[in-house]
Amino acid sequence: MEQSCQAAIIKFLAEKYQISMRYVRYCLNEERNPSFADNLKSDYQKLIQKVMHAINEEKFNQN
């Protein structure tokens, strides 16, 4: 996935959890483990799946 898309998801999560983008990355890389890390990782995976679904749908519609 493109870096800009991942950055947008990380920025969204940073705003949602009111933390820095760097701290989101720490949590995703398991360098930090706050109480909400599991929720943050789950949200990240859901957003990635939605983006990938949208991309795949667009590819399907082009053919």
Side-chain angles (χ1 to χ4, degrees), residues 10-61:
I10 290 171
K11 182 177 180 181
F12 172 79
L13 292 171
E15 291 172 1
K16 177 179 179 178
Y17 287 92
Q18 299 179 346
I19 56 177
S20 70
M21 290 175 62
R22 173 178 250 158
Y23 199 73
V24 171
R25 287 187 187 95
Y26 284 152
C27 293
L28 293 174
N29 293 328
E30 297 182 358
E31 295 175 23
R32 301 287 189 276
N33 197 16
S35 60
F36 57 85
D38 289 337
N39 293 338
L40 189 144
K41 290 177 196 175
S42 176
D43 288 347
Y44 179 80
Q45 288 303 319
K46 288 176 188 174
L47 290 169
I48 290 290
Q49 288 176 358
K50 286 182 180 181
V51 169
M52 294 307 296
H53 179 72
I55 289 170
N56 288 333
E57 225 175 73
E58 185 64 27
K59 284 182 185 177
F60 179 76
N61 289 335

